[in-house]
Amino acid sequence: MKNIKIYTLCIGLLLVLVSCGKNISEREKESFDTDLVFANHTYMSTWGYESAMRLNIEYLKKAEKMNYPEGKGICYHNIACINVTIGDYEKANFFFNKAREYIDISKNSLHKALFYHNYSRYYKFLNLTDKAIEYSNTAFYYMNKAKKSKLKDRILPRMYLNRGTYFMEKGWLGTSLKIFLKANELENSKLTNSMLAKYYLSVHQPDIAETYLVKANEKMLSDKTDDVESFYVYSTMGEYYNTLNRNEDAEKAFKKALFILETQGVYSVFKGRCYKSLAELYKKMHDKDRAYYYLKKYTEEEGKSGSAQLTTLNKMMDDFMTETKKESDWNRSKLPLAIALAIGAITASGVYVRKIINTLRLKKRNLKKETDDLKKHMHTKQFQEVRELVKRNDSSFLLKFKELYPDFAGALLKINPDLENSELAFCAMLKLRLSSKEIADYTFVQHKSVQQKKYRIRKRLNIPAEEDTYDFFDHLQ
Protein backbone atom coordinates (compact mmCIF):
# COMPACT_ATOMS: atom_id res chain seq x y z
CA MET A 1 0.00 0.00 0.00
CA LYS A 2 2.85 2.32 0.91
CA ASN A 3 4.55 1.55 -2.40
CA ILE A 4 1.34 2.35 -4.29
CA LYS A 5 1.10 5.75 -2.56
CA ILE A 6 4.72 6.53 -3.38
CA TYR A 7 4.19 5.41 -6.95
CA THR A 8 1.07 7.56 -7.26
CA LEU A 9 2.90 10.56 -5.79
CA CYS A 10 5.76 10.14 -8.29
CA ILE A 11 3.31 9.94 -11.19
CA GLY A 12 1.61 13.10 -9.92
CA LEU A 13 4.90 14.96 -9.66
CA LEU A 14 5.87 13.78 -13.11
CA LEU A 15 2.60 15.07 -14.55
CA VAL A 16 3.11 18.43 -12.86
CA LEU A 17 6.62 18.65 -14.27
CA VAL A 18 5.42 17.74 -17.75
CA SER A 19 2.55 20.21 -17.64
CA CYS A 20 4.64 23.05 -16.34
CA GLY A 21 7.66 22.45 -18.55
CA LYS A 22 11.03 23.71 -17.59
CA ASN A 23 11.51 27.13 -16.07
CA ILE A 24 13.83 29.20 -18.22
CA SER A 25 16.00 31.96 -16.86
CA GLU A 26 15.68 35.65 -17.64
CA ARG A 27 19.01 35.43 -19.45
CA GLU A 28 17.65 32.68 -21.75
CA LYS A 29 14.56 34.78 -22.46
CA GLU A 30 16.64 37.86 -23.23
CA SER A 31 18.91 35.82 -25.50
CA PHE A 32 15.88 34.40 -27.34
CA ASP A 33 14.35 37.87 -27.81
CA THR A 34 17.57 39.54 -28.96
CA ASP A 35 18.61 36.77 -31.34
CA LEU A 36 15.13 36.59 -32.89
CA VAL A 37 14.61 40.34 -33.35
CA PHE A 38 18.08 40.92 -34.82
CA ALA A 39 17.85 37.87 -37.09
CA ASN A 40 14.33 38.81 -38.23
CA HIS A 41 15.52 42.30 -39.17
CA THR A 42 18.43 40.86 -41.17
CA TYR A 43 16.24 38.32 -42.95
CA MET A 44 13.53 40.89 -43.73
CA SER A 45 15.89 43.58 -45.01
CA THR A 46 18.33 41.38 -46.90
CA TRP A 47 17.02 37.89 -47.73
CA GLY A 48 13.30 38.44 -48.13
CA TYR A 49 9.96 37.34 -46.75
CA GLU A 50 10.22 33.60 -47.23
CA SER A 51 13.44 33.37 -45.24
CA ALA A 52 11.98 35.56 -42.50
CA MET A 53 8.84 33.40 -42.42
CA ARG A 54 10.88 30.20 -42.02
CA LEU A 55 12.92 31.85 -39.28
CA ASN A 56 9.83 32.72 -37.25
CA ILE A 57 8.27 29.29 -37.70
CA GLU A 58 11.46 27.75 -36.30
CA TYR A 59 11.45 30.15 -33.37
CA LEU A 60 7.76 29.41 -32.70
CA LYS A 61 8.68 25.75 -32.26
CA LYS A 62 11.64 26.73 -30.11
CA ALA A 63 9.47 28.92 -27.87
CA GLU A 64 6.98 26.06 -27.50
CA LYS A 65 9.70 23.68 -26.38
CA MET A 66 11.08 26.28 -23.97
CA ASN A 67 7.58 26.94 -22.57
CA TYR A 68 8.11 30.62 -23.34
CA PRO A 69 4.72 32.07 -24.41
CA GLU A 70 6.03 35.65 -24.70
CA GLY A 71 8.54 34.36 -27.23
CA LYS A 72 5.68 32.97 -29.28
CA GLY A 73 4.07 36.40 -29.09
CA ILE A 74 7.17 37.98 -30.66
CA CYS A 75 7.08 35.37 -33.44
CA TYR A 76 3.44 36.14 -34.23
CA HIS A 77 4.27 39.84 -34.08
CA ASN A 78 7.06 39.33 -36.63
CA ILE A 79 4.76 37.36 -38.93
CA ALA A 80 2.26 40.23 -38.71
CA CYS A 81 5.02 42.65 -39.76
CA ILE A 82 5.87 40.46 -42.76
CA ASN A 83 2.25 40.69 -43.89
CA VAL A 84 2.27 44.47 -43.42
CA THR A 85 5.26 44.88 -45.73
CA ILE A 86 3.63 42.85 -48.51
CA GLY A 87 0.34 44.71 -48.14
CA ASP A 88 -1.79 41.89 -46.73
CA TYR A 89 -3.33 43.98 -43.96
CA GLU A 90 -6.15 41.56 -43.13
CA LYS A 91 -3.71 38.78 -42.33
CA ALA A 92 -1.43 41.23 -40.53
CA ASN A 93 -4.33 42.20 -38.27
CA PHE A 94 -5.04 38.52 -37.54
CA PHE A 95 -1.46 37.86 -36.44
CA PHE A 96 -1.19 41.11 -34.46
CA ASN A 97 -4.24 40.01 -32.49
CA LYS A 98 -2.66 36.60 -32.02
CA ALA A 99 0.57 38.21 -30.79
CA ARG A 100 -1.30 40.44 -28.37
CA GLU A 101 -2.70 37.39 -26.54
CA TYR A 102 0.84 36.57 -25.46
CA ILE A 103 2.32 40.08 -25.26
CA ASP A 104 -0.43 41.30 -22.90
CA ILE A 105 0.56 38.75 -20.26
CA SER A 106 4.26 39.61 -20.52
CA LYS A 107 5.90 41.38 -17.59
CA ASN A 108 8.66 42.62 -19.90
CA SER A 109 7.92 46.23 -20.94
CA LEU A 110 10.24 45.87 -23.93
CA HIS A 111 7.90 43.25 -25.42
CA LYS A 112 5.02 45.70 -25.29
CA ALA A 113 7.16 48.56 -26.64
CA LEU A 114 8.20 46.44 -29.64
CA PHE A 115 4.63 45.30 -30.28
CA TYR A 116 3.05 48.78 -30.16
CA HIS A 117 5.92 50.27 -32.17
CA ASN A 118 5.15 48.01 -35.13
CA TYR A 119 1.41 48.15 -34.51
CA SER A 120 1.67 51.90 -35.05
CA ARG A 121 3.49 51.25 -38.36
CA TYR A 122 0.59 49.00 -39.38
CA TYR A 123 -1.83 51.91 -38.96
CA LYS A 124 0.54 54.21 -40.86
CA PHE A 125 0.40 51.82 -43.83
CA LEU A 126 -3.39 52.07 -43.59
CA ASN A 127 -3.02 55.88 -43.79
CA LEU A 128 -4.49 56.28 -40.30
CA THR A 129 -1.82 58.63 -38.96
CA ASP A 130 -3.70 59.63 -35.81
CA LYS A 131 -4.02 55.98 -34.76
CA ALA A 132 -0.35 55.47 -35.60
CA ILE A 133 0.59 58.32 -33.27
CA GLU A 134 -1.69 56.93 -30.55
CA TYR A 135 0.06 53.54 -30.58
CA SER A 136 3.46 55.23 -30.91
CA ASN A 137 2.69 57.01 -27.64
CA THR A 138 1.90 53.64 -26.06
CA ALA A 139 5.15 52.19 -27.38
CA PHE A 140 7.20 55.01 -25.84
CA TYR A 141 5.34 54.63 -22.55
CA TYR A 142 6.49 51.02 -22.27
CA MET A 143 9.94 51.76 -23.67
CA ASN A 144 10.55 54.27 -20.87
CA LYS A 145 9.80 51.51 -18.36
CA ALA A 146 12.09 48.96 -20.03
CA LYS A 147 15.52 48.30 -18.59
CA LYS A 148 18.61 49.07 -20.62
CA SER A 149 19.61 46.30 -23.01
CA LYS A 150 21.13 45.66 -26.41
CA LEU A 151 17.66 45.12 -27.83
CA LYS A 152 16.36 48.40 -26.40
CA ASP A 153 19.28 50.26 -27.99
CA ARG A 154 18.33 48.67 -31.30
CA ILE A 155 14.61 49.41 -31.21
CA LEU A 156 14.58 52.94 -29.73
CA PRO A 157 16.11 54.83 -32.72
CA ARG A 158 13.61 53.14 -35.08
CA MET A 159 10.77 54.21 -32.82
CA TYR A 160 11.98 57.81 -33.10
CA LEU A 161 12.25 57.54 -36.90
CA ASN A 162 8.69 56.32 -37.28
CA ARG A 163 7.37 58.93 -34.85
CA GLY A 164 9.17 61.68 -36.77
CA THR A 165 7.56 60.45 -39.99
CA TYR A 166 4.07 60.54 -38.44
CA PHE A 167 4.59 64.07 -37.14
CA MET A 168 5.98 65.27 -40.47
CA GLU A 169 2.89 63.96 -42.21
CA LYS A 170 0.73 65.90 -39.74
CA GLY A 171 2.69 69.06 -40.57
CA TRP A 172 4.39 69.30 -37.18
CA LEU A 173 7.73 70.01 -38.81
CA GLY A 174 9.66 71.47 -35.89
CA THR A 175 8.82 68.54 -33.63
CA SER A 176 9.50 65.96 -36.32
CA LEU A 177 12.96 67.46 -36.96
CA LYS A 178 13.86 67.19 -33.27
CA ILE A 179 12.76 63.56 -33.29
CA PHE A 180 14.77 62.73 -36.44
CA LEU A 181 17.84 64.37 -34.90
CA LYS A 182 17.35 62.31 -31.74
CA ALA A 183 17.20 59.11 -33.80
CA ASN A 184 20.38 60.08 -35.62
CA GLU A 185 22.10 60.88 -32.33
CA LEU A 186 21.26 57.40 -31.03
CA GLU A 187 22.13 55.42 -34.17
CA ASN A 188 23.86 57.61 -36.80
CA SER A 189 23.19 55.06 -39.56
CA LYS A 190 22.59 55.29 -43.29
CA LEU A 191 18.87 55.05 -42.53
CA THR A 192 18.73 57.87 -39.95
CA ASN A 193 20.85 60.14 -42.16
CA SER A 194 18.76 59.45 -45.26
CA MET A 195 15.56 60.17 -43.31
CA LEU A 196 16.98 63.52 -42.21
CA ALA A 197 17.87 64.24 -45.84
CA LYS A 198 14.30 63.37 -46.83
CA TYR A 199 13.00 65.78 -44.17
CA TYR A 200 15.11 68.68 -45.49
CA LEU A 201 14.01 67.94 -49.05
CA SER A 202 10.40 68.16 -47.90
CA VAL A 203 11.02 71.66 -46.48
CA HIS A 204 12.89 72.75 -49.64
CA GLN A 205 16.39 72.90 -48.15
CA PRO A 206 18.40 70.69 -50.57
CA ASP A 207 21.76 72.09 -49.39
CA ILE A 208 21.26 70.70 -45.87
CA ALA A 209 19.74 67.52 -47.32
CA GLU A 210 22.94 67.00 -49.30
CA THR A 211 25.01 67.02 -46.09
CA TYR A 212 23.06 64.11 -44.64
CA LEU A 213 22.93 62.27 -47.97
CA VAL A 214 26.72 62.35 -48.17
CA LYS A 215 26.93 60.79 -44.69
CA ALA A 216 24.32 58.18 -45.58
CA ASN A 217 26.18 57.29 -48.77
CA GLU A 218 29.50 56.97 -46.93
CA LYS A 219 27.96 54.55 -44.44
CA MET A 220 26.30 52.60 -47.22
CA LEU A 221 29.57 52.21 -49.10
CA SER A 222 31.43 51.18 -45.95
CA ASP A 223 29.07 48.30 -45.06
CA LYS A 224 28.82 47.13 -48.71
CA THR A 225 25.35 45.65 -48.21
CA ASP A 226 22.39 46.11 -50.54
CA ASP A 227 19.43 45.97 -48.19
CA VAL A 228 16.28 47.92 -47.45
CA GLU A 229 18.28 50.71 -45.77
CA SER A 230 20.33 51.12 -48.95
CA PHE A 231 17.03 51.37 -50.81
CA TYR A 232 16.12 54.35 -48.62
CA VAL A 233 19.43 56.02 -49.40
CA TYR A 234 19.09 55.59 -53.18
CA SER A 235 15.44 56.62 -53.28
CA THR A 236 16.22 59.77 -51.27
CA MET A 237 19.13 60.50 -53.62
CA GLY A 238 16.66 60.22 -56.51
CA GLU A 239 14.39 62.78 -54.84
CA TYR A 240 17.37 65.06 -54.20
CA TYR A 241 18.61 64.98 -57.81
CA ASN A 242 15.06 65.38 -59.07
CA THR A 243 14.71 68.55 -56.99
CA LEU A 244 17.85 69.93 -58.64
CA ASN A 245 16.61 68.87 -62.10
CA ARG A 246 19.61 66.57 -62.47
CA ASN A 247 17.41 64.12 -64.30
CA GLU A 248 20.03 61.56 -65.34
CA ASP A 249 21.42 61.31 -61.80
CA ALA A 250 17.88 60.98 -60.44
CA GLU A 251 17.18 58.21 -62.94
CA LYS A 252 20.29 56.25 -61.87
CA ALA A 253 19.45 56.60 -58.18
CA PHE A 254 15.81 55.51 -58.58
CA LYS A 255 16.88 52.52 -60.68
CA LYS A 256 19.43 51.46 -58.05
CA ALA A 257 16.68 51.63 -55.43
CA LEU A 258 14.39 49.59 -57.65
CA PHE A 259 17.16 47.04 -58.33
CA ILE A 260 17.50 46.35 -54.60
CA LEU A 261 13.77 45.74 -54.22
CA GLU A 262 13.59 43.50 -57.30
CA THR A 263 16.69 41.41 -56.60
CA GLN A 264 16.49 41.13 -52.82
CA GLY A 265 12.74 40.50 -52.75
CA VAL A 266 12.23 42.84 -49.80
CA TYR A 267 9.59 45.46 -49.00
CA SER A 268 7.69 45.08 -52.27
CA VAL A 269 5.17 47.58 -50.89
CA PHE A 270 7.72 50.26 -51.90
CA LYS A 271 8.25 48.91 -55.43
CA GLY A 272 5.17 50.69 -56.73
CA ARG A 273 6.47 53.97 -55.34
CA CYS A 274 9.70 53.51 -57.29
CA TYR A 275 7.78 52.90 -60.50
CA LYS A 276 5.68 55.99 -59.81
CA SER A 277 8.78 58.15 -59.19
CA LEU A 278 10.34 56.96 -62.46
CA ALA A 279 7.08 57.57 -64.35
CA GLU A 280 6.94 61.17 -63.11
CA LEU A 281 10.65 61.68 -63.81
CA TYR A 282 10.37 60.47 -67.41
CA LYS A 283 7.29 62.60 -67.86
CA LYS A 284 9.34 65.61 -66.78
CA MET A 285 12.06 64.53 -69.24
CA HIS A 286 9.41 64.39 -72.01
CA ASP A 287 10.11 60.69 -72.50
CA LYS A 288 6.51 59.72 -73.06
CA ASP A 289 7.13 56.03 -73.84
CA ARG A 290 9.11 55.27 -70.69
CA ALA A 291 6.80 57.45 -68.58
CA TYR A 292 3.82 55.33 -69.55
CA TYR A 293 5.84 52.11 -69.27
CA TYR A 294 6.59 52.83 -65.60
CA LEU A 295 3.08 54.13 -65.01
CA LYS A 296 1.82 50.78 -66.27
CA LYS A 297 4.33 48.94 -64.06
CA TYR A 298 3.14 51.02 -61.11
CA THR A 299 -0.47 50.12 -61.85
CA GLU A 300 0.35 46.42 -62.21
CA GLU A 301 2.41 46.37 -59.00
CA GLU A 302 -0.31 48.03 -56.98
CA GLY A 303 -2.87 45.70 -58.50
CA LYS A 304 -1.18 42.41 -57.77
CA SER A 305 -0.15 43.50 -54.25
CA GLY A 306 2.51 40.88 -53.86
CA SER A 307 0.26 38.01 -55.00
CA ALA A 308 3.18 35.71 -55.80
CA GLN A 309 4.74 36.24 -52.39
CA LEU A 310 1.35 35.78 -50.75
CA THR A 311 0.85 32.44 -52.52
CA THR A 312 4.22 31.15 -51.32
CA LEU A 313 3.76 32.40 -47.78
CA ASN A 314 0.24 30.98 -47.55
CA LYS A 315 1.50 27.56 -48.59
CA MET A 316 4.27 27.75 -45.99
CA MET A 317 1.76 28.69 -43.29
CA ASP A 318 -0.67 25.93 -44.35
CA ASP A 319 2.13 23.36 -44.21
CA PHE A 320 3.17 24.65 -40.80
CA MET A 321 -0.38 24.48 -39.47
CA THR A 322 -0.80 20.91 -40.78
CA GLU A 323 2.39 19.89 -39.04
CA THR A 324 1.47 21.47 -35.73
CA LYS A 325 -1.98 19.85 -35.73
CA LYS A 326 -0.22 16.55 -35.02
CA GLU A 327 1.10 17.85 -31.72
CA SER A 328 -0.90 17.48 -28.49
CA ASP A 329 -0.48 19.55 -25.37
CA TRP A 330 -3.36 19.53 -22.93
CA ASN A 331 -2.14 22.26 -20.62
CA ARG A 332 -5.37 23.84 -19.33
CA SER A 333 -3.77 27.26 -18.84
CA LYS A 334 -3.38 27.85 -22.58
CA LEU A 335 -4.49 26.57 -25.95
CA PRO A 336 -1.88 24.47 -27.71
CA LEU A 337 -0.30 26.08 -30.75
CA ALA A 338 -1.85 23.65 -33.23
CA ILE A 339 -5.38 24.03 -31.85
CA ALA A 340 -5.06 27.82 -31.67
CA LEU A 341 -3.98 28.04 -35.27
CA ALA A 342 -6.62 25.55 -36.44
CA ILE A 343 -9.50 27.22 -34.59
CA GLY A 344 -8.31 30.64 -35.73
CA ALA A 345 -8.12 29.47 -39.32
CA ILE A 346 -11.53 27.73 -39.28
CA THR A 347 -13.29 30.62 -37.55
CA ALA A 348 -11.74 33.30 -39.72
CA SER A 349 -11.72 31.53 -43.08
CA GLY A 350 -15.21 32.36 -44.31
CA VAL A 351 -15.19 35.94 -43.09
CA TYR A 352 -11.56 36.36 -44.13
CA VAL A 353 -12.16 35.31 -47.74
CA ARG A 354 -15.11 37.68 -47.97
CA LYS A 355 -13.07 40.50 -46.50
CA ILE A 356 -10.18 39.79 -48.85
CA ILE A 357 -12.50 40.05 -51.86
CA ASN A 358 -13.94 43.33 -50.58
CA THR A 359 -10.46 44.62 -49.78
CA LEU A 360 -9.21 43.77 -53.28
CA ARG A 361 -12.21 45.51 -54.83
CA LEU A 362 -11.60 48.59 -52.70
CA LYS A 363 -7.90 48.52 -53.50
CA LYS A 364 -8.68 48.23 -57.21
CA ARG A 365 -10.97 51.26 -57.02
CA ASN A 366 -8.36 53.21 -55.06
CA LEU A 367 -5.67 52.19 -57.53
CA LYS A 368 -7.79 53.34 -60.47
CA LYS A 369 -8.39 56.64 -58.71
CA GLU A 370 -4.69 57.05 -57.96
CA THR A 371 -3.77 56.22 -61.56
CA ASP A 372 -6.40 58.64 -62.87
CA ASP A 373 -5.10 61.31 -60.48
CA LEU A 374 -1.55 60.74 -61.73
CA LYS A 375 -2.66 60.97 -65.36
CA LYS A 376 -4.65 64.10 -64.52
CA HIS A 377 -1.59 65.57 -62.80
CA MET A 378 0.55 64.86 -65.87
CA HIS A 379 -2.14 66.29 -68.17
CA THR A 380 -2.46 69.45 -66.06
CA LYS A 381 1.30 69.93 -66.10
CA GLN A 382 1.42 69.55 -69.90
CA PHE A 383 -1.56 71.88 -70.22
CA GLN A 384 0.29 74.60 -68.28
CA GLU A 385 3.45 74.07 -70.33
CA VAL A 386 1.52 74.61 -73.58
CA ARG A 387 -0.12 77.76 -72.19
CA GLU A 388 3.34 79.08 -71.27
CA LEU A 389 4.53 78.52 -74.84
CA VAL A 390 1.54 80.50 -76.12
CA LYS A 391 2.32 83.33 -73.70
CA ARG A 392 5.85 83.52 -75.10
CA ASN A 393 4.43 83.40 -78.66
CA ASP A 394 6.63 80.35 -79.19
CA SER A 395 6.04 78.72 -82.59
CA SER A 396 6.53 75.23 -81.08
CA PHE A 397 3.33 75.55 -79.05
CA LEU A 398 1.20 73.85 -81.74
CA LEU A 399 3.52 70.83 -81.82
CA LYS A 400 3.28 70.43 -78.05
CA PHE A 401 -0.47 70.98 -78.21
CA LYS A 402 -0.79 68.06 -80.65
CA GLU A 403 1.04 65.84 -78.15
CA LEU A 404 -1.46 66.86 -75.49
CA TYR A 405 -4.55 66.53 -77.75
CA PRO A 406 -3.49 64.23 -80.62
CA ASP A 407 -7.03 63.85 -82.05
CA PHE A 408 -8.08 67.50 -81.80
CA ALA A 409 -7.05 68.66 -85.28
CA GLY A 410 -8.57 65.56 -86.88
CA ALA A 411 -11.90 66.18 -85.14
CA LEU A 412 -11.95 69.76 -86.46
CA LEU A 413 -11.07 68.72 -90.00
CA LYS A 414 -13.91 66.19 -89.96
CA ILE A 415 -16.28 69.10 -89.34
CA ASN A 416 -14.59 71.34 -91.94
CA PRO A 417 -11.76 69.90 -94.08
CA ASP A 418 -10.95 73.36 -95.44
CA LEU A 419 -9.67 74.81 -92.16
CA GLU A 420 -6.28 76.49 -92.50
CA ASN A 421 -3.30 75.99 -90.16
CA SER A 422 -3.76 79.48 -88.72
CA GLU A 423 -7.39 78.61 -87.91
CA LEU A 424 -6.33 75.32 -86.30
CA ALA A 425 -3.83 77.23 -84.14
CA PHE A 426 -6.55 79.71 -83.14
CA CYS A 427 -8.90 76.83 -82.22
CA ALA A 428 -6.08 75.31 -80.10
CA MET A 429 -5.90 78.58 -78.13
CA LEU A 430 -9.64 78.42 -77.52
CA LYS A 431 -9.27 74.79 -76.41
CA LEU A 432 -6.73 76.09 -73.87
CA ARG A 433 -9.47 78.49 -72.68
CA LEU A 434 -7.48 81.61 -73.44
CA SER A 435 -9.63 84.76 -73.33
CA SER A 436 -9.86 87.12 -76.29
CA LYS A 437 -7.71 89.62 -74.41
CA GLU A 438 -5.05 86.99 -73.68
CA ILE A 439 -4.94 85.86 -77.31
CA ALA A 440 -4.66 89.48 -78.44
CA ASP A 441 -1.82 90.19 -76.00
CA TYR A 442 0.14 87.01 -76.80
CA THR A 443 -0.21 87.23 -80.60
CA PHE A 444 0.20 91.03 -80.79
CA VAL A 445 -3.11 91.77 -82.55
CA GLN A 446 -6.04 93.96 -81.63
CA HIS A 447 -8.78 92.67 -79.37
CA LYS A 448 -11.37 93.44 -82.06
CA SER A 449 -9.53 91.19 -84.55
CA VAL A 450 -9.67 88.28 -82.12
CA GLN A 451 -13.42 88.76 -81.68
CA GLN A 452 -13.88 88.71 -85.47
CA LYS A 453 -11.84 85.51 -85.71
CA LYS A 454 -14.01 83.87 -83.05
CA TYR A 455 -17.12 84.82 -85.02
CA ARG A 456 -15.69 83.35 -88.27
CA ILE A 457 -14.64 80.13 -86.48
CA ARG A 458 -18.15 79.68 -85.11
CA LYS A 459 -19.54 79.91 -88.65
CA ARG A 460 -16.83 77.64 -90.13
CA LEU A 461 -17.54 74.95 -87.51
CA ASN A 462 -21.32 75.41 -87.46
CA ILE A 463 -21.37 76.03 -83.70
CA PRO A 464 -25.00 76.53 -82.61
CA ALA A 465 -25.86 80.04 -81.49
CA GLU A 466 -27.00 78.82 -78.05
CA GLU A 467 -23.71 76.96 -77.35
CA ASP A 468 -20.75 78.68 -75.70
CA THR A 469 -17.57 78.62 -77.82
CA TYR A 470 -15.39 77.35 -74.97
CA ASP A 471 -17.90 74.62 -74.05
CA PHE A 472 -17.89 73.45 -77.66
CA PHE A 473 -14.09 73.00 -77.66
CA ASP A 474 -14.16 71.42 -74.19
CA HIS A 475 -16.47 68.67 -75.44
CA LEU A 476 -14.61 68.18 -78.71
CA GLN A 477 -12.45 65.05 -78.45
Side-chain angles (χ1 to χ4, degrees):
M1 188 70 179
K2 183 177 180 182
N3 289 336
I4 293 174
K5 288 182 178 179
I6 293 173
Y7 178 75
T8 305
L9 180 61
C10 289
I11 292 295
L13 288 172
L14 181 61
L15 289 173
V16 170
L17 288 172
V18 170
S19 65
C20 293
K22 69 171 185 175
N23 292 320
I24 59 173
S25 67
E26 290 302 316
R27 179 174 292 183
E28 286 178 299
K29 291 179 182 179
E30 186 173 337
S31 177
F32 179 98
D33 297 346
T34 304
D35 291 347
L36 174 56
V37 172
F38 275 72
N40 185 68
H41 173 77
T42 301
Y43 280 48
M44 281 283 290
S45 63
T46 306
W47 298 329
Y49 311 125
E50 293 175 36
S51 296
M53 190 71 193
R54 291 190 185 96
L55 171 77
N56 283 286
I57 289 174
E58 287 302 313
Y59 268 83
L60 265 171
K61 296 175 182 177
K62 185 177 179 180
E64 181 71 21
K65 289 178 181 178
M66 293 170 63
N67 191 30
Y68 182 32
E70 296 93 327
K72 291 163 68 174
I74 296 175
C75 293
Y76 285 124
H77 154 272
N78 289 345
I79 293 171
C81 292
I82 292 171
N83 282 284
V84 169
T85 60
I86 61 177
D88 192 341
Y89 303 122
E90 288 284 345
K91 191 168 288 185
N93 186 54
F94 174 81
F95 283 108
F96 271 128
N97 288 334
K98 190 70 186 168
R100 183 180 265 164
E101 293 175 17
Y102 297 94
I103 299 297
D104 280 350
I105 64 173
S106 175
K107 295 179 181 178
N108 187 340
S109 295
L110 192 57
H111 290 163
K112 292 182 170 67
L114 176 64
F115 174 84
Y116 285 108
H117 158 56
N118 282 304
Y119 200 44
S120 75
R121 290 180 66 244
Y122 164 70
Y123 277 99
K124 176 63 179 67
F125 275 98
L126 293 175
N127 295 317
L128 298 172
T129 307
D130 289 336
K131 291 291 288 184
I133 292 173
E134 176 187 334
Y135 286 114
S136 175
N137 292 339
T138 306
F140 271 95
Y141 167 78
Y142 285 113
M143 182 58 82
N144 290 334
K145 296 173 67 175
K147 66 179 183 180
K148 183 171 177 58
S149 66
K150 184 179 179 182
L151 188 54
K152 180 176 180 178
D153 291 342
R154 174 69 176 184
I155 299 169
L156 188 56
R158 306 307 168 98
M159 287 175 59
Y160 277 114
L161 282 181
N162 285 328
R163 192 170 179 81
T165 303
Y166 307 155
F167 284 5
M168 187 165 67
E169 187 161 305
K170 293 289 288 184
W172 305 336
L173 299 180
T175 307
S176 65
L177 175 58
K178 290 177 183 177
I179 294 171
F180 282 139
L181 289 170
K182 180 65 177 177
N184 199 42
E185 177 189 332
L186 291 171
E187 188 171 275
N188 192 22
S189 64
K190 55 188 175 183
L191 178 61
T192 57
N193 279 285
S194 63
M195 291 302 289
L196 270 166
K198 191 180 288 285
Y199 167 85
Y200 280 110
L201 286 174
S202 73
V203 295
H204 312 295
Q205 296 186 50
D207 292 343
I208 303 178
E210 182 184 13
T211 304
Y212 287 103
L213 265 179
V214 169
K215 292 178 182 177
N217 189 47
E218 288 172 352
K219 293 180 181 298
M220 181 174 65
L221 294 175
S222 65
D223 70 20
K224 299 179 181 178
T225 302
D226 281 341
D227 57 11
V228 69
E229 294 186 11
S230 298
F231 156 76
Y232 275 108
V233 178
Y234 284 125
S235 62
T236 308
M237 280 183 180
E239 293 175 27
Y240 167 72
Y241 290 131
N242 192 27
T243 300
L244 299 181
N245 291 318
R246 292 169 56 177
N247 296 335
E248 291 184 3
D249 290 330
E251 178 188 17
K252 289 177 184 176
F254 282 136
K255 285 195 171 181
K256 284 180 179 178
L258 185 59
F259 177 79
I260 291 172
L261 296 181
E262 290 179 332
T263 56
Q264 301 295 335
V266 295
Y267 285 80
S268 62
V269 73
F270 296 125
K271 198 183 292 183
R273 299 180 192 179
C274 264
Y275 290 139
K276 186 175 181 181
S277 296
L278 281 165
E280 292 176 340
L281 176 65
Y282 285 125
K283 183 65 180 176
K284 188 173 76 169
M285 295 168 68
H286 306 293
D287 190 336
K288 185 176 179 180
D289 291 338
R290 283 197 284 185
Y292 278 98
Y293 169 78
Y294 280 105
L295 177 62
K296 184 180 177 183
K297 293 283 284 183
Y298 164 69
T299 305
E300 290 172 352
E301 185 64 32
E302 291 296 295
K304 72 182 182 183
S305 186
S307 59
Q309 293 93 335
L310 277 172
T311 301
T312 304
L313 289 173
N314 281 333
K315 185 179 184 308
M316 289 173 64
M317 181 53 69
D318 289 342
D319 291 344
F320 171 62
M321 290 170 67
T322 301
E323 179 184 342
T324 53
K325 283 176 186 176
K326 299 174 184 177
E327 300 175 3
S328 60
D329 176 6
W330 299 105
N331 188 338
R332 297 172 63 89
S333 65
K334 59 179 175 26
L335 283 173
L337 178 62
I339 295 177
L341 287 172
I343 291 175
I346 293 168
T347 304
S349 59
V351 178
Y352 176 72
V353 170
R354 200 176 303 114
K355 284 186 177 180
I356 281 292
I357 293 171
N358 292 335
T359 301
L360 288 174
R361 286 174 179 167
L362 179 61
K363 192 164 188 178
K364 187 176 180 180
R365 287 198 296 270
N366 290 339
L367 176 62
K368 185 179 183 304
K369 182 180 182 302
E370 192 170 352
T371 304
D372 290 343
D373 288 344
L374 181 59
K375 287 180 180 178
K376 185 178 179 181
H377 170 73
M378 292 177 175
H379 184 274
T380 302
K381 191 173 180 181
Q382 265 190 311
F383 185 89
Q384 294 301 329
E385 288 174 357
V386 174
R387 282 181 66 100
E388 287 299 318
L389 290 172
V390 177
K391 285 183 181 180
R392 297 199 298 268
N393 199 25
D394 192 317
S395 59
S396 67
F397 110 82
L398 196 55
L399 183 64
K400 293 293 182 183
F401 179 89
K402 287 178 180 178
E403 291 180 8
L404 184 61
Y405 299 107
D407 301 323
F408 182 73
L412 289 174
L413 291 172
K414 278 185 181 179
I415 299 172
N416 188 340
D418 297 326
L419 288 174
E420 299 175 0
N421 283 337
S422 60
E423 291 175 314
L424 292 174
F426 185 74
C427 289
M429 294 181 193
L430 296 176
K431 177 72 172 175
L432 295 172
R433 280 197 164 268
L434 294 172
S435 67
S436 297
K437 183 179 184 308
E438 285 175 317
I439 296 173
D441 290 343
Y442 302 153
T443 57
F444 307 108
V445 298
Q446 292 184 352
H447 182 269
K448 184 178 179 181
S449 298
V450 176
Q451 292 289 75
Q452 290 172 346
K453 278 187 179 182
K454 286 176 78 172
Y455 176 74
R456 283 199 301 271
I457 283 293
R458 290 184 64 90
K459 291 192 68 176
R460 299 268 280 165
L461 295 175
N462 296 317
I463 300 175
E466 66 276 9
E467 185 171 6
D468 180 76
T469 304
Y470 292 108
D471 289 344
F472 172 82
F473 285 111
D474 279 345
H475 297 133
L476 189 70
Q477 298 299 320

